Amino acid sequence: MKSYTAVTYLLSVGVATAFQPSVVSRQVLRPIKTQAYKQSSTSLSSSIAADEDVATIQILMSDTGGGHRASANALRDAFNVLHETEPDRFPLKIHCDIVDIYTDYGPFFPYNEYVALYKIMAEYSFLWKWFYEFGSTPLGLWLNDFMLELTCFEPFQECLTRNPFDSSKNDKRADMVVSVHPLCQDLPLKILSSLDSNGASRSEGRVTPFVTVVTDLGGAHPTWFNEGVDKCYVPSDVLKNAAMDRQVRENQIVQYGLPIRRGFWRFGADYTGSPEEQDEATEMEGVHHKPTIREKLGLKDLTTVLIVGGGDGMGGIIAQAQAVGEKLQSLAVSKNESYQMVVVCGNNKAAQSTLSPPQTNWGSNIEVSVQGFVNNMDEYMRASDILITKAGPGTIAEASICGLPCILSSFLPGQEEGNVPYVEESGFGTYKGSVEGMAETVQEWLASPSKLEQMRDNALVAARPDATLDIARDLADMVYVRREELKKGGGTSSKKEIGKPKTKTIAYGMGPF
């Protein structure tokens, strides 16, 4: 009955929607403000008179993917750091208006219920696979585009015209728009064209800069890529090719890496200067010294296996911890050595309770630390020697920065499936779908220190610790150019200009292409 109910519930969503993963709690839906829709039906230029010393960027996302908000927050933090550490190049502060456009502005089900729907889709992965694959077909893409424009144009227009400093007002637009979500390209671009052309066109006349920052890694849904964007930031060769397959031109694509949390940047949270002034060896033996971090976390200075279940502890974390714990206990007895295991359960309080004493007695030969939700995952990763995790793109990127070999425990069909070959071909991990396989792989790796060291080196080769700051530098340059345009009166396109090529070429001088 439970499966039937879930299937019925999901089928009511409609085959057009391409879902992305999420492990966060849903926000409260704001009331629909019809008067605001009426106001926003006319063009609202991005005014700067009230805040002359602050540039504004609206970041569109939805909490239908744990990495989307994390990426948005990472970019916001990077703008602040650049303003503080490179004031000559970035003299203006940049204010970010981060908005969950579907939860806050979706007019009705299913658009305002994506987060709740994720949990069902994740539980029944065959449904996820079906919806994802159909949503990638020409018919699925057309249906999604058609339904979004038909039902969400006015609500989303309210979002794109909201004041970046006061979301209750629609009297000032952000200077620039950035998308970190696959379903935030097509319709926002049409809305910006309509706003910038005074309603003359939904396909031409856009002058407000729009950028996509892809937050997937080894695979991505086609809705990530729209040829009308000014720039599309991708983290891998695979996604660069995927973008070009969707007619995004090579000179629109910039490849730096994934935007990740500040603790994983080069020099971590202590970033104060140019990356070129330091080297990896100095960094790893300095602020990222394993024994020092372990002591700070209250851990023993022992070989450590880290098991991560994501924000809500999904992925069979109890069975994984029990199997690995038993294997480490057996190894400790047979080799007369000691080992350590850290289990991060996220918001899964039931798992945390089950794995903690007195419910679980791990024995005297291994040290076990069971944590709930943590905000210092960078420290736990740098304190560890092996990571067991689901194949989420952000976690993989963060692990590579920490030189941490990975055992991938699961993946969602679709965009996460491509993360498995990415890790395996990069030489810093493998996929094991059973808890027995995970435990045996831990034993194999611990028996071969040279193999672990090689995988650690391979992970560091794949790492892109400067990606977040590199992306932020480019975006800051873009929004500064836009500010100058606005000062000269370039807030909208006249109706005479409508009919020029749909994609406006702007010489921002960014990236390697």
Side-chain angles (χ1 to χ4, degrees):
M1 183 65 183
K2 183 177 179 182
S3 298
Y4 175 80
T5 302
V7 171
T8 304
Y9 182 53
L10 286 165
L11 288 177
S12 67
V13 176
V15 295
T17 305
F19 291 97
Q20 303 295 324
S22 171
V23 194
V24 290
S25 51
R26 179 177 176 273
Q27 298 182 17
V28 178
L29 177 65
R30 292 172 2 126
I32 298 295
K33 297 187 289 186
T34 54
Q35 182 62 31
Y37 294 160
K38 182 178 179 180
Q39 292 173 350
S40 64
S41 64
T42 59
S43 174
L44 294 173
S45 299
S46 301
S47 170
I48 61 172
D51 302 281
E52 286 289 339
D53 60 341
V54 180
T56 56
I57 296 178
Q58 185 176 69
I59 303 181
L60 301 179
M61 46 76 66
S62 178
D63 283 319
T64 55
H68 302 305
R69 183 173 294 276
S71 294
N73 290 340
L75 291 172
R76 176 202 60 201
D77 294 344
F79 292 134
N80 292 335
V81 166
L82 292 176
H83 175 66
E84 295 168 0
T85 61
E86 302 179 35
D88 291 341
R89 179 176 173 182
F90 304 107
L92 291 182
K93 291 183 179 179
I94 296 177
H95 171 76
C96 290
D97 178 26
I98 300 173
V99 53
D100 181 337
I101 191 170
Y102 282 91
T103 300
D104 291 354
Y105 290 90
F108 42 69
F109 180 88
Y111 301 110
N112 60 359
E113 293 287 349
Y114 277 2
V115 175
L117 288 170
Y118 159 73
K119 293 184 179 180
I120 297 175
M121 299 292 273
E123 183 177 356
Y124 300 94
S125 59
F126 70 94
L127 288 175
W128 180 290
K129 179 179 175 66
W130 190 85
F131 275 82
Y132 184 95
E133 291 181 351
F134 180 82
S136 300
T137 65
L139 175 60
L141 291 167
W142 178 84
L143 280 173
N144 182 60
D145 187 47
F146 175 79
M147 291 304 298
L148 275 176
E149 186 169 3
L150 178 69
T151 62
C152 296
F153 189 92
E154 286 192 358
F156 284 13
Q157 183 170 264
E158 180 191 4
C159 173
L160 287 163
T161 57
R162 81 181 198 176
N163 188 312
F165 299 97
D166 185 350
S167 61
S168 67
K169 299 179 180 179
N170 290 79
D171 58 348
K172 169 184 169 64
R173 278 204 278 144
D175 302 321
M176 176 177 171
V177 178
V178 174
S179 166
V180 293
H181 192 277
L183 296 180
C184 293
Q185 272 67 236
D186 296 357
L187 186 56
L189 282 167
K190 292 178 181 179
I191 292 171
L192 289 177
S193 291
S194 177
L195 291 169
D196 288 346
S197 67
N198 294 303
S201 175
R202 294 186 179 184
S203 61
E204 301 173 344
R206 177 180 62 84
V207 293
T208 302
F210 186 98
V211 168
T212 297
V213 179
V214 181
T215 61
D216 282 317
L217 186 59
H221 198 273
T223 50
W224 269 114
F225 308 110
N226 187 299
E227 62 184 313
V229 302
D230 294 304
K231 290 291 178 180
C232 179
Y233 288 83
V234 298
S236 64
D237 292 337
V238 171
L239 296 198
K240 178 182 176 181
N241 293 332
M244 295 177 69
D245 287 343
R246 293 279 291 168
Q247 283 70 59
V248 181
R249 299 186 306 278
E250 189 168 3
N251 64 358
Q252 294 173 277
I253 302 170
V254 184
Q255 184 176 334
Y256 286 140
L258 280 178
I260 39 85
R261 292 173 286 185
R262 182 172 178 173
F264 293 94
W265 302 352
R266 194 184 299 270
F267 318 128
D270 297 323
Y271 176 85
T272 57
S274 171
E276 289 77 12
E277 296 174 0
Q278 301 288 339
D279 60 60
E280 197 74 24
T282 300
E283 179 184 353
M284 299 306 272
E285 292 304 318
V287 295
H288 301 157
H289 187 229
K290 266 187 172 61
T292 302
I293 297 175
R294 287 169 178 166
E295 182 179 4
K296 177 182 177 181
L297 294 173
L299 302 174
K300 301 291 185 181
D301 188 16
L302 299 170
T303 299
T304 302
V305 178
L306 173 63
I307 302 177
V308 176
D312 63 356
M314 295 177 65
I317 194 169
I318 294 176
Q320 292 171 18
Q322 290 173 339
V324 173
E326 290 176 5
K327 184 65 68 174
L328 291 177
Q329 178 77 10
S330 175
L331 283 173
V333 172
S334 63
K335 300 179 67 174
N336 195 28
E337 294 183 7
S338 296
Y339 297 97
Q340 185 165 242
M341 181 172 69
V342 177
V343 187
V344 178
C345 299
N347 293 317
N348 191 334
K349 297 186 182 301
Q352 185 179 5
S353 176
T354 298
L355 295 173
S356 300
Q359 292 196 46
T360 300
N361 181 7
W362 295 101
S364 59
N365 295 313
I366 63 170
E367 298 288 336
V368 178
S369 174
V370 181
Q371 303 291 323
F373 187 88
V374 301
N375 291 313
N376 56 338
M377 185 58 72
D378 56 306
E379 293 180 323
Y380 280 101
M381 283 194 183
R382 290 189 169 104
S384 302
D385 299 283
I386 296 173
L387 172 67
I388 299 176
T389 180
K390 71 186 291 288
T395 303
I396 291 170
E398 292 166 352
S400 68
I401 290 170
C402 297
L404 186 57
C406 299
I407 300 173
L408 303 179
S409 58
S410 62
F411 58 85
L412 285 171
Q415 74 278 9
E416 287 188 355
E417 193 168 356
N419 297 339
V420 174
Y422 175 86
V423 169
E424 292 181 337
E425 291 170 11
S426 297
F428 66 96
T430 188
Y431 169 75
K432 295 295 177 182
S434 68
V435 294
E436 295 80 10
M438 297 172 209
E440 290 171 1
T441 301
V442 168
Q443 180 181 28
E444 175 191 339
W445 288 1
L446 292 180
S448 178
S450 61
K451 182 174 183 177
L452 265 182
E453 184 65 22
Q454 183 60 59
M455 286 192 291
R456 175 184 179 278
D457 291 343
N458 293 341
L460 292 173
V461 169
R464 299 292 181 267
D466 303 321
T468 309
L469 290 166
D470 288 338
I471 295 170
R473 287 187 183 94
D474 286 358
L475 300 185
D477 286 340
M478 289 183 74
V479 78
Y480 283 5
V481 170
R482 178 58 176 160
R483 296 274 294 181
E484 291 303 314
E485 291 177 348
L486 290 169
K487 289 179 180 179
K488 297 175 182 177
T492 60
S493 296
S494 68
K495 291 186 178 181
K496 292 181 180 180
E497 293 176 311
I498 308 306
K500 291 183 177 182
K502 179 170 68 171
T503 302
K504 179 187 176 189
T505 301
I506 304 175
Y508 293 110
M510 303 185 315
F513 302 106

